[in-house]
Amino acid sequence: MKKELTTIQRDILDFLIDQIKGKGIPPTLAEVADHFGYRNRATVQQHFSAIEKKGFIKKNPKLSRGIELTLEDKFFVPKPILGEVAAGNPLTIYPDAIDTIELPTIARMPKDSFLLRVKGDSLKDAYIFSGDIVIVNPNLEPKNGQIVAAVLDDAAVVKRFYKKKNEIELISENPDYKPIIIEKKYSSFKLVGIVVGVYRSMEKKKAG
Amino acid sequence: MKKELTTIQRDILDFLIDQIKGKGIPPTLAEVADHFGYRNRATVQQHFSAIEKKGFIKKNPKLSRGIELTLEDKFFVPKPILGEVAAGNPLTIYPDAIDTIELPTIARMPKDSFLLRVKGDSLKDAYIFSGDIVIVNPNLEPKNGQIVAAVLDDAAVVKRFYKKKNEIELISENPDYKPIIIEKKYSSFKLVGIVVGVYRSMEKKKAG
DNA sequence: CAAAATACCATACATTTGTATGGCAAATTA
DNA sequence: TAATTTGCCATACAAATGTATGGTATTTTG
C-alpha cells in the first residue's frame, strides 16, 4: 500500500491539521470545499477517502466534523530545508532547498514559514542546539527578546533580537559570542523572520 | 442583566467546556441532549440561548457545533474547596466544603476531581506555594514522581509520590522537611488522588 | 397573588452534512 | 498502448443539525 500523499492531498491534510490544531475544530466537507474553491463537496469527500486509505486521518462515519488525525507518529511530512544558518558566525544561505527533513506536522508550521538548520552553539542557553531545525515565519513583526533569523552579507544567522534607538542588536545566548550590532543605515542586513518553533530529531544527528 | 447561571445551565456549560477543552470539539445539540437524558434537542437549544444571553458562550448560527466559549476571563465558576492539605505537616481535612473559590474553568477540572487548598511551603521547589489550590483527580493511578494528595490519620498531605519495594515514600520538594515513609501494612494511610493542576489567584491571598 | 423566569416536552421545517453513484479529462503507471 | 490513478464535476438522498413555535408544570421574583 502506497503511503505517499499527492500534493493536493497533502495540501488538504495540511488544511485539516491547520484547522484542528489552530481553530480547534475539524472543518466540514463544505468548509474544505469552500476553502479550496471546489464547487462540490464530493470532491473533498473523495480526497478524504484517499487520505484515509493512506492512513493519515480517520473518519467517524455519519458524524459532522468527525475527522480525526491518526497516530501522530505518522505525521512526518518531508519539508525542504532552505539553508543553514549560524547561531555562532554567519553561514551561507542557499536559494533552493539543500535538504529535506521529516518534520512532524504537530510541530505546527504555518503555511508561509520555512525551515533552516542551525549550526553552532551560540544559542545553547536558549535550548537551541546545533543540528536543530528552526521554523521561521517571515510575516511577523519582531519584538525585543524574540529569536529571529536574519541575513548579513549573504549569510544567515539566528540570534536574539533587540531593537535600540539607532541600532539593532543581535545577541547570542552564549557568552562566548559577541553581539552583532547593526546600525540603522546598514543596508545589507535583512531580517528574514521570527523563529516560531524549534524541532529536534532524536535520531542520530549529523550536526556540525 | 443577570449574569448568574442556574445550576443546570452551569452543568451544561461545564459539559461544553469539558468537551471543547477535553475532546477538542464542541458537541451538537443532540449530543448534549443525549448526555443529560433530554428527549429533545429543543431543550438544549433553549439552555444554550439562556447561557448565550448571559454571555458565557457564543453561537455561530447555522453552523454545526458552532459554539464558542466567550472571553475566558468570564469563566470563573465557584467551586467548593473540600479541605486544606499540608505540604509541610499534615493538616485537618474536612468532610464538607470549607470555602469556595472562583476557579477559572479554563483550568480544566475533570468532573470527578475536587479542590484542596495547600498550606505550608514544603513543595515550593515544585512551584506549589502556600495558598495555592490544587486540583485532585481521585481516579488516576499514581506514578513515581507525581504529586499526590493523601490522608494520614485523618489529616491530609500533598507530597511527591514514590513507591518502593515494601514502602511508599512521600517526599517534600523542600529539604527542610523529611520524607514520610509508609510501610505497606500501615492501614490508616489512604491515597486521595493525583494532583492534576494548580491554580493560584493573583489577588491578595490570605495564606498561612 | 400575579408575572416572569425556568425547565422540560412535542412537532415541524429548512439547511447542513455525510454519503453514494456516475461521468469525464488529464496524469501516471504497467 | 492499455489500465489505473488522480482530480474534478453533477445529481440525489437519508440522516443529522440548528431553528422556530407552542404547550405545560414548577419555581422564582416583584
Side-chain angles (χ1 to χ4, degrees):
Chain A
M1 58 200 73
K2 58 197 67 164
K3 287 191 175 175
E4 297 284 314
L5 290 179
T6 68
T7 309
I8 296 179
Q9 287 167 3
R10 184 147 69 236
D11 283 347
I12 291 183
L13 179 59
D14 276 352
F15 180 68
L16 279 182
I17 296 168
D18 224 59
Q19 294 286 305
I20 294 175
K21 297 287 179 185
K23 217 178 135 195
I25 134 176
T28 63
L29 291 178
E31 288 169 1
V32 178
D34 201 55
H35 178 265
F36 286 94
Y38 294 138
R39 320 172 65 169
N40 212 296
R41 284 167 289 148
T43 303
V44 180
Q45 169 192 355
Q46 287 149 20
H47 282 306
F48 278 7
S49 293
I51 299 173
E52 185 181 29
K53 199 168 296 176
K54 293 177 181 175
F56 288 83
I57 62 174
K58 187 172 162 294
K59 284 190 297 179
N60 282 6
K62 301 282 179 185
L63 273 186
S64 73
R65 305 173 189 276
I67 311 161
E68 290 174 32
L69 301 179
T70 323
L71 254 169
E72 315 252 310
D73 299 335
K74 275 200 173 176
F75 284 93
F76 283 79
V77 190
K79 300 272 186 183
I81 301 178
L82 286 186
E84 289 173 331
V85 290
N89 297 309
L91 284 185
T92 323
I93 190 171
Y94 302 88
D96 289 316
I98 59 166
D99 198 1
T100 61
I101 185 177
E102 298 281 313
L103 187 77
T105 50
I106 331 125
R108 185 165 143 53
M109 177 170 157
K111 251 298 194 290
D112 51 0
S113 301
F114 55 89
L115 305 178
L116 295 173
R117 173 177 282 134
V118 172
K119 291 210 171 194
D121 59 353
S122 87
L123 280 167
K124 66 170 186 177
D125 289 345
Y127 305 105
I128 299 179
F129 303 96
S130 194
D132 289 357
I133 306 296
V134 292
I135 305 166
V136 179
N137 187 330
N139 296 326
L140 292 178
E141 279 297 309
K143 293 171 189 165
N144 277 352
Q146 279 184 327
I147 292 180
V148 302
V151 175
L152 272 171
D153 300 312
D154 291 331
V157 290
V158 172
K159 297 272 187 181
R160 202 175 283 277
F161 176 92
Y162 285 98
K163 188 175 190 172
K164 306 235 167 152
K165 297 164 206 164
N166 295 315
E167 59 189 32
I168 290 172
E169 273 191 33
L170 300 178
I171 73 169
S172 294
E173 206 71 8
N174 187 335
D176 293 348
Y177 294 86
K178 294 204 186 90
I180 298 178
I181 297 177
I182 300 119
E183 296 176 30
K184 271 274 167 71
K185 44 205 168 191
Y186 193 69
S187 63
S188 80
F189 165 80
K190 186 158 174 292
L191 191 73
V192 174
I194 313 295
V195 173
V196 296
V198 181
Y199 174 64
R200 180 176 312 135
S201 168
M202 283 314 173
E203 333 258 344
K204 72 172 189 328
K205 62 175 104 174
K206 47 170 187 176
Chain B
M1 59 198 72
K2 56 196 69 165
K3 289 192 175 174
E4 297 283 314
L5 291 179
T6 68
T7 308
I8 296 178
Q9 287 167 4
R10 184 146 70 237
D11 282 348
I12 291 183
L13 178 60
D14 277 352
F15 180 68
L16 279 183
I17 296 167
D18 225 59
Q19 294 286 304
I20 294 174
K21 296 288 180 187
K23 218 177 135 195
I25 135 175
T28 63
L29 292 176
E31 288 168 2
V32 179
D34 200 55
H35 179 263
F36 286 94
Y38 293 138
R39 319 174 63 170
N40 212 296
R41 283 168 290 150
T43 302
V44 180
Q45 168 193 356
Q46 286 149 21
H47 282 305
F48 278 8
S49 294
I51 299 174
E52 184 181 31
K53 200 168 296 174
K54 293 177 182 175
F56 289 84
I57 62 174
K58 188 171 163 293
K59 282 191 297 178
N60 282 9
K62 301 282 179 185
L63 272 187
S64 73
R65 308 174 187 275
I67 311 160
E68 289 175 32
L69 301 179
T70 323
L71 255 169
E72 316 251 310
D73 301 335
K74 276 199 168 175
F75 285 93
F76 283 79
V77 189
K79 300 273 186 179
I81 300 177
L82 285 186
E84 289 173 331
V85 290
N89 296 311
L91 285 184
T92 324
I93 190 168
Y94 305 88
D96 288 316
I98 59 167
D99 198 0
T100 60
I101 185 177
E102 298 282 312
L103 186 76
T105 51
I106 333 124
R108 181 165 147 53
M109 180 169 157
K111 251 295 193 292
D112 50 0
S113 300
F114 55 89
L115 305 178
L116 295 173
R117 175 179 281 134
V118 172
K119 291 211 169 193
D121 59 353
S122 86
L123 280 167
K124 67 172 185 176
D125 290 345
Y127 305 104
I128 300 179
F129 302 96
S130 194
D132 289 357
I133 306 295
V134 291
I135 304 166
V136 180
N137 187 331
N139 294 325
L140 291 180
E141 280 296 309
K143 293 172 191 166
N144 276 353
Q146 280 185 326
I147 292 180
V148 302
V151 175
L152 274 170
D153 300 312
D154 293 330
V157 290
V158 171
K159 298 271 187 180
R160 201 176 283 277
F161 176 93
Y162 285 98
K163 187 175 191 173
K164 307 237 169 152
K165 297 166 205 162
N166 294 314
E167 59 192 31
I168 291 171
E169 272 191 33
L170 300 179
I171 73 170
S172 295
E173 206 72 4
N174 186 334
D176 294 349
Y177 293 86
K178 294 204 187 92
I180 298 178
I181 296 176
I182 300 118
E183 298 175 29
K184 270 276 168 67
K185 46 206 167 190
Y186 193 69
S187 61
S188 79
F189 164 79
K190 189 160 170 293
L191 190 73
V192 174
I194 313 295
V195 173
V196 296
V198 181
Y199 173 66
R200 179 176 313 136
S201 168
M202 283 316 173
E203 334 257 343
K204 70 169 192 327
K205 62 174 103 175
K206 48 170 186 175

PDB file of all heavy atoms in Angstrom, chain B residues 31-42:
ATOM      1  N   GLU B  31     -26.036  15.715  20.959  1.00  0.00           N
ATOM      2  CA  GLU B  31     -25.098  15.066  21.877  1.00  0.00           C
ATOM      3  C   GLU B  31     -25.292  15.548  23.304  1.00  0.00           C
ATOM      4  O   GLU B  31     -25.224  14.765  24.254  1.00  0.00           O
ATOM      5  CB  GLU B  31     -23.654  15.322  21.412  1.00  0.00           C
ATOM      6  CG  GLU B  31     -23.271  14.549  20.153  1.00  0.00           C
ATOM      7  CD  GLU B  31     -21.957  15.020  19.541  1.00  0.00           C
ATOM      8  OE1 GLU B  31     -21.316  15.934  20.115  1.00  0.00           O
ATOM      9  OE2 GLU B  31     -21.581  14.497  18.493  1.00  0.00           O
ATOM     10  N   VAL B  32     -25.526  16.841  23.450  1.00  0.00           N
ATOM     11  CA  VAL B  32     -25.771  17.371  24.785  1.00  0.00           C
ATOM     12  C   VAL B  32     -27.062  16.791  25.351  1.00  0.00           C
ATOM     13  O   VAL B  32     -27.111  16.336  26.498  1.00  0.00           O
ATOM     14  CB  VAL B  32     -25.825  18.907  24.763  1.00  0.00           C
ATOM     15  CG1 VAL B  32     -26.111  19.444  26.154  1.00  0.00           C
ATOM     16  CG2 VAL B  32     -24.525  19.481  24.232  1.00  0.00           C
ATOM     17  N   ALA B  33     -28.094  16.814  24.527  1.00  0.00           N
ATOM     18  CA  ALA B  33     -29.376  16.270  24.965  1.00  0.00           C
ATOM     19  C   ALA B  33     -29.207  14.826  25.416  1.00  0.00           C
ATOM     20  O   ALA B  33     -29.723  14.410  26.458  1.00  0.00           O
ATOM     21  CB  ALA B  33     -30.393  16.345  23.819  1.00  0.00           C
ATOM     22  N   ASP B  34     -28.461  14.087  24.616  1.00  0.00           N
ATOM     23  CA  ASP B  34     -28.231  12.689  24.944  1.00  0.00           C
ATOM     24  C   ASP B  34     -27.533  12.555  26.292  1.00  0.00           C
ATOM     25  O   ASP B  34     -27.915  11.743  27.136  1.00  0.00           O
ATOM     26  CB  ASP B  34     -27.379  12.064  23.833  1.00  0.00           C
ATOM     27  CG  ASP B  34     -27.502  10.550  23.823  1.00  0.00           C
ATOM     28  OD1 ASP B  34     -28.643  10.069  23.737  1.00  0.00           O
ATOM     29  OD2 ASP B  34     -26.465   9.874  23.896  1.00  0.00           O
ATOM     30  N   HIS B  35     -26.521  13.382  26.484  1.00  0.00           N
ATOM     31  CA  HIS B  35     -25.720  13.280  27.708  1.00  0.00           C
ATOM     32  C   HIS B  35     -26.545  13.569  28.950  1.00  0.00           C
ATOM     33  O   HIS B  35     -26.343  12.959  29.993  1.00  0.00           O
ATOM     34  CB  HIS B  35     -24.534  14.238  27.628  1.00  0.00           C
ATOM     35  CG  HIS B  35     -23.669  14.230  28.851  1.00  0.00           C
ATOM     36  ND1 HIS B  35     -23.796  15.152  29.868  1.00  0.00           N
ATOM     37  CD2 HIS B  35     -22.679  13.381  29.225  1.00  0.00           C
ATOM     38  CE1 HIS B  35     -22.914  14.882  30.816  1.00  0.00           C
ATOM     39  NE2 HIS B  35     -22.224  13.831  30.456  1.00  0.00           N
ATOM     40  N   PHE B  36     -27.469  14.497  28.842  1.00  0.00           N
ATOM     41  CA  PHE B  36     -28.265  14.871  30.004  1.00  0.00           C
ATOM     42  C   PHE B  36     -29.599  14.129  30.057  1.00  0.00           C
ATOM     43  O   PHE B  36     -30.434  14.412  30.916  1.00  0.00           O
ATOM     44  CB  PHE B  36     -28.501  16.381  30.027  1.00  0.00           C
ATOM     45  CG  PHE B  36     -27.279  17.161  30.430  1.00  0.00           C
ATOM     46  CD1 PHE B  36     -26.421  17.675  29.479  1.00  0.00           C
ATOM     47  CD2 PHE B  36     -26.983  17.361  31.782  1.00  0.00           C
ATOM     48  CE1 PHE B  36     -25.273  18.383  29.857  1.00  0.00           C
ATOM     49  CE2 PHE B  36     -25.843  18.062  32.163  1.00  0.00           C
ATOM     50  CZ  PHE B  36     -24.990  18.571  31.201  1.00  0.00           C
ATOM     51  N   GLY B  37     -29.805  13.253  29.114  1.00  0.00           N
ATOM     52  CA  GLY B  37     -31.020  12.470  29.132  1.00  0.00           C
ATOM     53  C   GLY B  37     -32.246  13.219  28.634  1.00  0.00           C
ATOM     54  O   GLY B  37     -33.365  12.784  28.860  1.00  0.00           O
ATOM     55  N   TYR B  38     -32.043  14.311  27.941  1.00  0.00           N
ATOM     56  CA  TYR B  38     -33.181  15.030  27.394  1.00  0.00           C
ATOM     57  C   TYR B  38     -33.714  14.289  26.173  1.00  0.00           C
ATOM     58  O   TYR B  38     -32.950  13.767  25.377  1.00  0.00           O
ATOM     59  CB  TYR B  38     -32.785  16.452  26.984  1.00  0.00           C
ATOM     60  CG  TYR B  38     -32.411  17.330  28.138  1.00  0.00           C
ATOM     61  CD1 TYR B  38     -31.327  18.186  28.041  1.00  0.00           C
ATOM     62  CD2 TYR B  38     -33.131  17.299  29.318  1.00  0.00           C
ATOM     63  CE1 TYR B  38     -30.972  19.000  29.099  1.00  0.00           C
ATOM     64  CE2 TYR B  38     -32.784  18.099  30.376  1.00  0.00           C
ATOM     65  CZ  TYR B  38     -31.700  18.956  30.268  1.00  0.00           C
ATOM     66  OH  TYR B  38     -31.357  19.747  31.321  1.00  0.00           O
ATOM     67  N   ARG B  39     -35.037  14.282  26.065  1.00  0.00           N
ATOM     68  CA  ARG B  39     -35.616  13.579  24.922  1.00  0.00           C
ATOM     69  C   ARG B  39     -35.726  14.527  23.739  1.00  0.00           C
ATOM     70  O   ARG B  39     -36.284  14.168  22.706  1.00  0.00           O
ATOM     71  CB  ARG B  39     -37.000  13.062  25.308  1.00  0.00           C
ATOM     72  CG  ARG B  39     -37.014  12.497  26.722  1.00  0.00           C
ATOM     73  CD  ARG B  39     -38.381  12.116  27.172  1.00  0.00           C
ATOM     74  NE  ARG B  39     -38.943  11.045  26.343  1.00  0.00           N
ATOM     75  CZ  ARG B  39     -40.050  10.412  26.650  1.00  0.00           C
ATOM     76  NH1 ARG B  39     -40.718  10.733  27.740  1.00  0.00           N
ATOM     77  NH2 ARG B  39     -40.513   9.467  25.872  1.00  0.00           N
ATOM     78  N   ASN B  40     -35.158  15.699  23.918  1.00  0.00           N
ATOM     79  CA  ASN B  40     -35.411  16.706  22.897  1.00  0.00           C
ATOM     80  C   ASN B  40     -34.252  17.685  22.752  1.00  0.00           C
ATOM     81  O   ASN B  40     -33.733  18.204  23.731  1.00  0.00           O
ATOM     82  CB  ASN B  40     -36.662  17.478  23.267  1.00  0.00           C
ATOM     83  CG  ASN B  40     -37.382  17.912  22.036  1.00  0.00           C
ATOM     84  OD1 ASN B  40     -36.833  18.697  21.277  1.00  0.00           O
ATOM     85  ND2 ASN B  40     -38.564  17.363  21.808  1.00  0.00           N
ATOM     86  N   ARG B  41     -33.922  17.964  21.519  1.00  0.00           N
ATOM     87  CA  ARG B  41     -32.848  18.935  21.292  1.00  0.00           C
ATOM     88  C   ARG B  41     -33.268  20.349  21.659  1.00  0.00           C
ATOM     89  O   ARG B  41     -32.443  21.172  22.033  1.00  0.00           O
ATOM     90  CB  ARG B  41     -32.426  18.911  19.822  1.00  0.00           C
ATOM     91  CG  ARG B  41     -31.564  17.767  19.432  1.00  0.00           C
ATOM     92  CD  ARG B  41     -31.462  17.683  17.943  1.00  0.00           C
ATOM     93  NE  ARG B  41     -32.729  17.262  17.355  1.00  0.00           N
ATOM     94  CZ  ARG B  41     -33.143  17.623  16.149  1.00  0.00           C
ATOM     95  NH1 ARG B  41     -32.389  18.394  15.413  1.00  0.00           N
ATOM     96  NH2 ARG B  41     -34.319  17.224  15.707  1.00  0.00           N
ATOM     97  N   ALA B  42     -34.545  20.587  21.518  1.00  0.00           N
ATOM     98  CA  ALA B  42     -35.027  21.957  21.762  1.00  0.00           C
ATOM     99  C   ALA B  42     -34.710  22.407  23.189  1.00  0.00           C
ATOM    100  O   ALA B  42     -34.430  23.583  23.428  1.00  0.00           O
ATOM    101  CB  ALA B  42     -36.521  22.022  21.510  1.00  0.00           C
TER     102      ALA B  42
END
